[in-house]
């Protein structure tokens, strides 16, 4: 590269560039706002404020039958029955307007039919929270959790903070979403601390599960169809339902800003739809503030880890069914370690949006609200901020750090050089201190060695330690039933690939838990390295490369444009402290690598699967002939096929590149960078390359990949030998 | 036909000028009242009214250590023989750290001013002119001080603490329209500032003098222009001089069997001219209209001449209505001297009613329904829970039988009807008209209350609620004695945003108090006016100053009120329903009326009053552009 113009220019289409520019302009002002509104907690977070709520004085039966006098969300709230809420939605001026004035006249559908349909929609949607069910369910959950978890740890300082900030305004809980267990945990915690139980937005897929739908409904879930595209009536009903919950302020509303469970354990890019709907009562002046509480739920071990691994590789996800759930009950035999829950600093929406509020007041409330560009920028910011807060308040398990070390070892060392416990402990220790300097709270209660052994023990189905202290990854794929190729979502991967792929993707799940800490430093250090290789090392040059990578990976990680500079400066400081970058610089505009090359290698290697996947996606798209288009699915399949070839021919050795989530993000990223053009034909979304730009992007990504690839070259066969079979492990 | 040429010389005008210029003598026309009205409040107001608080000197609120509450005069018959019971006492102590049983905690205002009033700035030429026209004036400190303030909390605190920087240099009392013309001409000629003064009851710092003003400041007190010049029963109008105060106006009109029906809370002391210049609103506007509905004709004296319409017709289409430049001008453009207003026959019956609703929202919904059906009685007000509880201090002292009856009532309300003591709210209604009308209205309202879970709470409560309005300002002063700062502010808001506005403003205030470490505070509100398109909401905010001195507490009060006003506007309310802008709410004016609106006002001001003679500084700060 070099003469093709600066990467940041290549990186963006003009339109996106403008949007981003806007966001960046809003940044300083908002940062100012945030400085005042979201003060960082007084001291660093510590494990000692977390308390295990399963470890309580009263027995479960006494606990679930305690007198229920929860702290109210808003003092003016009236408790409404399900029927009353439905009635309120139906009789709301907005709904009346939508049906009487808009839908019936536009579509020439009789009004009566629309009202009937609305009623059906609301019945399908509505929650029916009832305390007896909640109590009974809470009892069962207690028993289950005691069996599979060694503790549910809640930051009690954060509970006190939450309590202090509710009482006047509607509250939205926004937990991170890694597992189905999230649904139940939040209500469980609220019940424990006598906080009004949340009403939870859930996907419709649960409703079809016999008994479970009912149970969740009774515990306070309401159900939203996964996609309802242009169904205006559904949209109106759904938004009015959410808004009546907000304005009435009886319960906190809970939804997952990531939209769905993250299969990768990385935070997903936030979805804005539900958030925008929920904020509308504020933006139109119906409520004067909304309190948003981002919540982090950290799992030592994710219930769905194997399932996710298959899913990411393209093996179809079984439809949610009750029998499936019972099958999943064999999870009850396993140990899943600890859960950490942290309610982060409540955010006052008014502080975020206060300056945008008044122009809405000239419109009557029943007219549909159009989100303005300013509001939209702000909502994107808020959504990203929420996810960042979730990440910042994670509790990182030692196993995640071990996973980084193990993956690095497997990928870089010759096969006869096995990792032993001693090395692992040493490397985890140094990684731990690095992570801590990036602000992480690591779950390490005893001395490191003991804690690490405990952590590994929880994951004994994936990682085994032999008697002589050697650490190895286990093949977990073999036990799975053969996969019908027709059902594969992606390319039909060979068994050979899956056998290494499944455990490696599982391991990556835990690596991913740490990536929000390392991603910016990793991008910076790779940028520095390349800049130096090209003979520059100037800060501006590094920044341009950093900007490119950041833009490229912005669908993969939470890298909001507005934080670009802040993150850059912070990462440089941190890296200098850790010796990854040279601290003793005379020229403040020039950067150079420091002595800690091991950490630098680890950081860069973290980017490998992403760069490899993105690079292949680029190649796939480049091969689409001019004038032709491909669907997303076709693009994913052929990229996976290409990657499998690379894996088999030992030109690549990280199976996580095969991840469909990763490849989808790659296509989206290329689209927003203008390298791929997205077209809609007959309701189908199709992609075609934008040759010039794609060539440039491919080139740059390839260059970066070259830089990280040589660190870890090893054939799949070799790697396979590293993994011992399940049978052997039992011996 | 040449009508325009002679328009300004038309007979009614001449006749009135004669009536005025002749000072005392009757011109023979029976509808012209020659005699000066006997003013309830003397020319030297401070001899009858408190110098540092609301109302009559002889009337203060007293609460004895046994809980007996009364006023020290017979002027307010409904304030006799009240008893503050233990539960109200405890509630107040809890909320406002105000123990009504403990008089020792009170610090009453000094009986006479304790401050030094600076020497007047005198413009000799102006004074000579004044003397040559034989217009009454005074340069005594007491007179000047009384006209240098209104009843804004700031004013009262400053009076009590002796922190008044500037007062008018002279008080003049014109006797008629012509006197005013002379004064304004003199002032314009000699570059002297005029600040018109009516009743002095504003709560917007409208009378506060600019300490930087180097010119002589003349307070033009209209109180001696208080005649009802004529009453025309054929057209149901009356021509009155602007200085007449509400109670005198109704008394004079009642001699003719008519009334204006305009009843702001300040009715006893505020003047007709003041109402017009602030766009006032009365409690019974549903029946009689707000001031802009009542006004038929205004005479307005400005530095550039006299402005008035030449028509007594009920309506006129002649371009923009220039009356609306006068209405709400807040003394910045000229002096209102005479106003022709609509009058109504004195009603045959006046009746009251009150209803209890389980929650505020029900009350608002009920009010909305009344507006929709246009069934509003003369006055209809919704009182929130906090104010309802505050109002419990007015409970009559009951005998044993009374207390038993009362507790039975309360038991029914809370336990059987299920109305929570800390949630219920009250609607108070006043009905006026002939017997049948009132009966019909009452029946209709009663029916509507049922739809919103309203319970009839009897007409005695209604009557008490209505008459107590006039004693609220006295209570405010008593609060200050206890160290509690209290003030009201109001707004108007569309119906669908009403309940949220009330809630949000209360939340905001409570948040702001908390942030400032104020432990004892209370905010209450009432919905006082019912319009087709919305309502008027009136807030009372009070807090105990704790260890803060009065100035610090006042500063904190103003800060909080400002945040509250921001919230009012953010919730869809506006800058003011009837208090006006004065110098207190100027900050929000450009946003409220658009910058063009402000410039339009500036242009008018520049044209009418280029020398800024009417330099009260209300509405828009003219100093920045002049």
């Amino acid at each position: 590269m070099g003469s093709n113009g600066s990467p940041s220019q290549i990186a963006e289409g003009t339109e996106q560039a403008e949007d981003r520019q806007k966001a960046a302009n809003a940044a300083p002002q908002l940062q100012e706002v945030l400085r005042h509104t979201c003060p960082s907690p007084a001291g660093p977070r510590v494990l000692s404020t977390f308390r295990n709520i399963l470890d309580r004085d009263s027995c479960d039966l006494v606990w679930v039958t305690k007198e229920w006098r929860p702290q109210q969300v808003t003092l003016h709230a009236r408790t409404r029955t399900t029927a009353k809420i439905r009635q309120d939605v139906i009789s709301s001026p907005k709904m009346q307007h939508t049906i009487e004035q808009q839908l019936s006249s536009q579509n020439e559908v009789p009004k009566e039919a629309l009202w009937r349909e609305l009623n059906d929609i609301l019945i399908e949607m509505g929650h029916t929270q009832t305390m007896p069910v909640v109590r009974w369910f809470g009892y069962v959950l207690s028993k289950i959790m005691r069996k599979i978890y060694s503790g549910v740890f809640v930051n009690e300082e954060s509970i006190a903070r939450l309590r202090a900030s509710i009482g006047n305004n509607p509250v939205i809980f926004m937990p991170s979403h890694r597992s189905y267990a999230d649904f139940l945990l939040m209500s469980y915690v609220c019940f424990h601390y006598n906080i009004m139980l949340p009403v939870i937005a859930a996907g419709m897929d649960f409703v079809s599960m016999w008994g479970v739908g009912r149970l969740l409904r009774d515990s306070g879930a309401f159900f939203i169809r996964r996609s309802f595209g242009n169904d205006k009536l559904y949209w109106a009903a759904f938004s009015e339902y959410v808004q009546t919950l907000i304005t009435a302020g009886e319960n906190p509303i809970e939804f997952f800003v990531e939209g769905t469970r993250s299969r990768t354990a990385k935070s997903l890019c936030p979805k804005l739809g539900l958030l925008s709907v929920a904020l509308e009562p504020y933006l139109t002046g119906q409520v004067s503030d909304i309190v948003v509480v981002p919540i982090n739920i950290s799992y030592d071990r994710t219930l769905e880890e194997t399932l996710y691994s298959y899913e990411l590789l393209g093996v179809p996800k079984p439809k949610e069914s009750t029998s499936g759930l019972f099958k999943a009950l064999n999870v009850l035999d396993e140990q899943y370690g600890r859960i950490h829950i942290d309610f982060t600093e409540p955010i006052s929406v008014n502080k975020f949006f206060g300056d945008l509020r008044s122009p809405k007041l000239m419109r009557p409330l029943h007219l549909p609200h159009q989100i303005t560009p300013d509001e939209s920028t702000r909502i994107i910011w808020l959504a990203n901020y929420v996810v960042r807060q979730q990440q910042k308040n994670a509790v990182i398990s030692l196993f995640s750090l071990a996973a980084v070390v193990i993956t690095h070892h497997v990928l870089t060392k010759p096969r006869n050089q096995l990792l032993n416990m001693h090395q692992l402990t040493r490397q985890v220790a140094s990684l731990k201190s690095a992570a801590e300097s990036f602000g992480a709270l690591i779950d390490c209660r005893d001395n490191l060695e003991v804690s690490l052994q405990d952590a590994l023990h929880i994951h004994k189905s994936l990682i085994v330690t032999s008697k002589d202290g050697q650490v190895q990854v286990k093949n977990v794929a073999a036990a799975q039933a053969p996969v019908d190729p027709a059902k594969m979502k992606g390319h039909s991967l060979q068994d050979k690939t899956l056998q290494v792929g499944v455990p490696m993707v599982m391991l990556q799940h835990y690596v991913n838990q740490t990536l929000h800490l390392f991603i910016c430093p990793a991008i910076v250090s790779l940028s520095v390295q390349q800049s130096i290789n090209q003979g520059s090392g100037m800060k501006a040059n590094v920044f341009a490369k950093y900007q490119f990578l950041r833009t490229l990976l912005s669908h993969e990680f939470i890298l909001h444009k507005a934080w670009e500079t802040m993150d850059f400066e912070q990462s440089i400081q941190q890296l200098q402290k850790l010796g990854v970058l040279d601290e003793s610089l005379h020229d403040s505009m020039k950067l150079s690598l420091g002595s800690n090359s091991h950490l630098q290698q680890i950081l860069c290697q973290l980017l490998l699967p992403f760069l490899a996947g993105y690079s292949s996606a680029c190649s796939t798209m480049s091969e689409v002939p001019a004038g032709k288009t491909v669907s997303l699915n076709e693009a994913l399949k052929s990229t996976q096929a290409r990657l499998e070839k690379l894996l088999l021919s030992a030109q690549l050795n990280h199976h996580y590149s095969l991840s469909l989530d990763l490849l989808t993000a790659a296509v989206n990223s290329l689209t927003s960078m203008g390298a791929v053009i997205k077209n809609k034909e007959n309701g189908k979304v199709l992609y075609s390359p934008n040759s010039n730009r794609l060539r440039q992007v491919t080139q740059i990504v390839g260059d970066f990949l070259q830089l990280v690839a040589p660190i870890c070259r090893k054939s799949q066969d070799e790697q396979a030998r590293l993994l011992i079979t399940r049978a052997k492990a039992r011996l | 036909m040449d009508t325009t040429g002679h328009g300004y010389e038309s007979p009614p005008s001449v006749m009135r000028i004669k009536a005025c210029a002749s000072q005392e003598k009757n011109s023979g026309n029976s509808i012209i009242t020659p005699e000066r009205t006997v003013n309830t409040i003397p020319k030297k107001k401070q001899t009858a009214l408190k110098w540092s608080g609301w109302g009559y000197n002889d009337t203060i609120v007293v609460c004895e250590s046994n809980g007996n509450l009364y006023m020290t005069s017979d002027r307010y018959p409904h304030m006799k023989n009240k008893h503050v019971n233990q539960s109200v006492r405890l509630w107040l102590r809890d909320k406002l750290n105000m123990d009504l049983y403990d008089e020792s905690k009170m610090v009453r205002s000094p009986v006479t001013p304790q401050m030094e009033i600076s020497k007047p700035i005198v413009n000799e030429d102006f004074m000579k002119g004044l003397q040559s026209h034989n217009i009454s004036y005074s340069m005594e400190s007491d007179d000047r001080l009384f006209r240098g303030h209104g009843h804004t909390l700031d004013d009262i605190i400053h009076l009590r603490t002796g922190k008044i920087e500037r007062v008018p240099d002279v008080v003049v009392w014109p006797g008629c329209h012509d006197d005013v013309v002379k004064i304004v001409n003199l002032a314009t000629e000699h570059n002297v500032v005029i600040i018109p003064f009516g009743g002095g009851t504003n709560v917007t710092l409208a009378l506060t003098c600019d300490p930087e003003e180097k010119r002589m400041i003349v307070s033009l007190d209209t109180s001696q222009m208080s005649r009802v010049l004529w009453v025309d029963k054929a057209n149901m109008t009356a021509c009155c001089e602007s200085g007449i105060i509400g109670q005198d106006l109704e008394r004079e009109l009642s001699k003719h069997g008519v009334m204006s029906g305009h009843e702001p809370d300040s009715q006893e002391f505020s003047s007709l001219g003041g109402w017009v210049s602030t766009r006032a609103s009365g409690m019974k506007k549903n029946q009689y209209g707000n001031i802009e509905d009542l006004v038929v004709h205004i005479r307005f004296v400005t530095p550039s001449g006299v402005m008035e319409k030449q028509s007594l017709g009920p309506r006129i289409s002649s371009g923009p209505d220039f009356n609306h430049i006068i209405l709400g001008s807040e003394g910045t453009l000229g002096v209102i001297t005479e106003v022709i207003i609509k009058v109504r026959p004195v009603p045959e019956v006046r009746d009251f009613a009150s209803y209890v609703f389980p929650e505020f929202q029900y009350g608002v919904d009920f009010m909305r329904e009344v507006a929709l059906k246009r069934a509003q009685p003369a006055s209809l007000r919704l009182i929130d829970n906090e104010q309802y509880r505050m109002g419990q201090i007015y409970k009559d002292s009951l005998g044993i039988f009374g207390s038993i009856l009362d507790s039975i009532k309360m038991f029914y309300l809370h336990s059987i009807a299920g109305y929570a003591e800390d949630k219920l709210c009250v609607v108070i209604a006043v009905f006026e008209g002939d017997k049948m009308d009132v009966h019909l209205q009452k029946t209709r309202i009663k029916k509507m209350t049922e739809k919103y879970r309203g319970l009839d709470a009897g007409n005695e409560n209604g009557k008490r609620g209505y008459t107590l309005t006039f004693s609220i300002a006295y209570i405010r002063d008593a609060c200050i004695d206890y160290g509690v700062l209290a003030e009201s502010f109001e707004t108007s808001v569309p119906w669908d945003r009403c309940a949220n506005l009330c809630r949000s403003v209360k939340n905001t205030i409570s948040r702001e108090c908390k942030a400032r470490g104020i432990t004892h505070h209370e905010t209450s509100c009432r919905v006082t006016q019912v319009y087709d398109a919305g309502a008027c909401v009136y807030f009372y905010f009070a807090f105990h100053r704790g260890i803060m001195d009065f100035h610090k507490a006042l500063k904190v009060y103003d800060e909080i009120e400002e945040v509250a006003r921001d919230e009012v506007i953010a919730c869809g309310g506006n800058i003011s329903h009837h208090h006006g802008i004065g110098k207190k709410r100027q900050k929000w004016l450009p946003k409220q009326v658009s910058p063009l609106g402000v410039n339009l006002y500036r242009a008018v001001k520049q044209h009418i009053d280029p020398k800024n003679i009417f330099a009260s500084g209300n509405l828009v700060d003219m100093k920045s552009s002049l």
Side-chain angles (χ1 to χ4, degrees), chain A residues 180-471:
Chain A
Y180 278 142
D182 298 330
F183 277 104
L184 313 170
L185 266 173
M186 284 302 304
S187 305
Y188 193 85
V189 171
C190 287
F191 183 79
H192 181 82
Y193 288 104
N194 292 320
I195 294 166
M196 202 70 182
L197 299 182
V199 168
I200 310 154
M204 199 58 110
D205 15 2
F206 290 107
V207 175
S208 53
M209 296 165 71
W210 184 86
V212 174
R214 179 86 249 165
L215 185 60
L216 289 181
R217 230 185 253 283
D218 287 350
S219 327
F222 67 99
F223 297 97
I224 304 169
R225 294 179 191 164
R226 281 271 176 219
S227 58
F228 41 91
N230 270 338
D231 187 342
K232 282 190 184 148
L233 181 63
Y234 192 85
W235 178 261
F238 146 72
S239 52
E240 190 59 33
Y241 193 87
V242 171
Q243 286 166 15
T244 190
L245 294 178
I246 293 274
T247 49
E250 317 148 87
N251 298 79
I253 299 202
E254 174 183 330
F255 62 85
F256 302 103
V257 73
E258 295 164 281
T260 181
R261 287 174 302 156
S262 164
R263 272 71 169 164
T264 62
K266 286 186 287 106
S267 297
L268 299 175
C269 288
K271 304 283 179 294
L272 307 172
L274 188 46
L275 180 59
S276 307
V277 166
L279 291 183
E280 196 181 307
Y282 169 78
L283 293 172
T284 53
Q286 295 174 74
V287 296
S288 58
D289 198 0
I290 297 177
V291 178
V292 172
V293 190
I295 295 159
N296 177 282
I297 307 178
S298 299
Y299 294 96
D300 272 3
R301 184 179 164 198
T302 314
L303 288 175
E304 298 97 327
E305 52 174 9
T306 323
L307 198 64
Y308 285 163
S309 185
Y310 276 96
E311 236 182 85
L312 288 176
L313 290 169
V315 180
K317 168 192 173 190
K319 197 166 183 276
E320 265 87 1
S321 71
T322 309
S323 65
L325 188 79
F326 280 113
K327 269 184 213 153
L329 286 181
N330 62 20
V331 300
L332 294 187
D333 299 334
E334 300 260 349
Q335 279 301 306
Y336 289 85
R338 283 187 279 261
I339 301 175
H340 287 90
I341 300 174
D342 201 340
F343 290 70
T344 75
E345 180 85 29
I347 301 166
S348 151
V349 169
N350 191 32
K351 297 270 168 64
F352 255 88
F353 290 83
D355 51 326
L356 300 182
R357 217 167 141 204
S358 52
K360 299 291 135 38
L361 301 167
M362 292 307 290
R363 278 166 70 85
L365 292 173
H366 70 273
L367 293 181
H369 172 70
Q370 292 289 332
I371 301 264
T372 65
D374 276 352
E375 286 168 353
S376 158
T377 311
R378 218 59 83 79
I379 291 173
I380 294 170
W381 175 295
L382 175 62
N384 276 279
Y385 183 75
V386 166
V387 178
R388 261 223 173 174
Q389 285 294 97
Q390 292 171 354
Q391 292 178 334
K392 275 190 178 167
N393 289 275
V395 175
I396 308 282
S397 132
L398 276 180
F399 183 75
S400 302
L401 299 178
V404 174
V405 175
I406 294 168
T407 308
H408 186 69
H409 185 90
V410 168
L411 294 179
T412 53
K413 294 294 185 303
R415 69 183 166 107
N416 50 4
Q417 195 181 326
L418 288 174
L419 184 67
N420 66 39
M421 200 55 204
H422 178 65
Q423 289 168 315
L424 181 65
T425 314
R426 197 168 40 80
Q427 290 192 32
V428 166
S430 85
L431 197 59
K432 175 170 173 278
S433 66
E436 279 167 346
S437 78
F438 296 141
L441 176 62
I442 313 279
D443 182 19
C444 178
R445 279 154 205 269
D446 289 306
N447 76 53
L448 182 70
E449 206 166 336
V450 178
S451 301
L452 182 61
Q453 261 159 9
D454 287 352
L456 287 175
H457 184 72
I458 302 286
H459 292 269
K460 61 178 189 285
S461 59
L462 181 63
I463 298 290
V464 284
T465 322
S466 62
K467 272 179 206 141
D468 50 349
Q470 298 199 322
V471 181

Side-chain angles (χ1 to χ4, degrees), chain A residues 75-78 164 167-169 247 284-289 350-351 357-358 360-366, chain B residues 359 361-362 365 423 494 496-497 500 503-505 507-508 510-511 514 566-573 591:
Chain A
L75 296 175
H76 67 268
R78 285 186 227 171
N168 288 332
N169 296 301
T247 49
T284 53
Q286 295 174 74
V287 296
S288 58
D289 198 0
N350 191 32
K351 297 270 168 64
R357 217 167 141 204
S358 52
K360 299 291 135 38
L361 301 167
M362 292 307 290
R363 278 166 70 85
L365 292 173
H366 70 273
Chain B
E359 277 169 30
Q361 183 70 52
Y362 286 103
D365 292 347
K423 286 207 160 168
D496 58 354
R497 298 181 185 275
N500 175 59
R503 207 157 51 220
S504 298
V505 171
N507 285 347
T508 302
S510 127
R511 188 189 67 216
K514 202 165 142 196
D566 281 335
E567 184 64 22
V568 163
I569 290 171
C571 289
K591 215 171 156 194

Side-chain angles (χ1 to χ4, degrees), chain B residues 4-265:
Chain B
T4 44
H6 294 286
Y8 291 120
E9 314 292 334
S10 64
S13 180
V14 173
M15 201 156 64
R16 274 182 301 191
I17 289 164
K18 269 187 193 155
C20 170
S22 66
Q23 300 281 319
E24 304 299 334
K25 274 292 148 211
N26 191 346
S27 70
N29 188 328
S30 69
I31 61 165
I32 292 176
T33 322
E35 294 86 16
R36 297 227 156 259
T37 304
V38 181
N39 285 351
T40 310
I41 313 295
K43 198 165 167 183
K44 281 194 163 303
K45 294 196 178 218
Q46 63 275 18
T47 57
L49 301 183
K50 292 198 194 80
W51 72 274
S52 67
W54 185 264
Y56 299 102
N57 272 329
D58 58 7
T59 312
I60 55 168
V61 183
V62 174
C63 187
E64 292 171 341
S65 56
N66 57 10
N68 287 340
L69 179 86
Y70 59 89
M71 275 180 154
T72 50
S73 75
D74 296 335
R75 297 173 191 275
Y76 303 93
H78 261 83
M79 280 299 290
K80 272 184 191 163
N81 201 19
K82 302 284 169 190
H83 183 78
V84 178
N85 66 28
Q86 276 293 347
S87 74
V88 178
R89 173 201 178 195
L90 293 178
W91 186 76
L92 273 174
R93 207 171 64 181
D94 178 40
K95 286 286 179 187
L96 287 171
N97 191 20
M98 191 162 108
D99 187 352
L100 292 185
Y101 287 21
D102 188 358
E103 226 180 322
S104 67
K105 290 261 174 67
M106 284 181 99
V107 183
R108 296 271 190 199
S109 157
V111 185
T112 51
Q114 302 294 303
M115 74 202 82
E116 194 77 4
I117 301 295
S118 57
K119 277 211 158 123
I121 298 173
V122 179
N123 183 316
E124 298 291 350
D125 297 333
F126 174 81
M127 290 311 293
K128 264 183 209 149
L130 206 58
Q131 283 151 4
S132 74
H133 289 305
N134 205 15
I135 292 168
S136 165
Y137 69 89
S138 160
M139 284 190 163
E140 282 170 36
S141 296
D142 286 3
D143 291 322
R144 290 164 56 210
L145 177 64
F146 196 94
R147 280 142 192 103
H149 68 84
H151 282 271
T152 323
L153 181 63
D154 308 50
D155 288 328
I156 302 304
I157 299 290
H158 286 153
L159 284 170
R160 285 184 169 220
T161 54
K163 198 191 143 206
I164 299 283
E165 285 185 74
R166 180 86 155 93
V167 295
D169 301 305
V170 64
V171 181
V172 300
W173 286 278
C176 63
H177 171 85
D178 284 2
D179 286 354
V180 174
V181 173
K182 285 171 196 160
I183 296 167
V184 171
N185 286 343
L186 273 176
T188 312
E189 189 184 337
H190 302 297
N191 198 18
V192 161
V193 172
I194 296 178
I195 298 180
F197 182 92
T201 57
N202 76 81
V203 286
T204 58
L205 298 177
L207 287 170
T208 310
C209 296
D210 178 8
E212 307 292 308
E213 182 59 69
K214 296 290 180 286
R215 296 177 287 179
M216 183 182 194
I217 299 179
V218 175
S219 178
L220 191 154
D221 185 336
T222 55
S223 62
Q224 304 311 304
M225 306 186 346
S226 56
R227 285 172 298 181
V228 174
L229 295 177
W230 46 257
V231 173
D232 176 355
K233 290 175 90 167
N235 299 301
M236 291 307 273
T237 52
C239 181
C240 315
E241 287 183 311
S242 63
I244 191 163
I245 58 174
Q247 53 173 322
D248 291 347
L249 176 67
E250 294 301 3
R251 188 193 62 226
E252 292 304 312
L253 290 178
S254 69
K255 293 176 183 166
H256 301 265
V258 296
M259 65 190 285
S260 77
H262 187 73
E263 257 180 39
D265 293 3

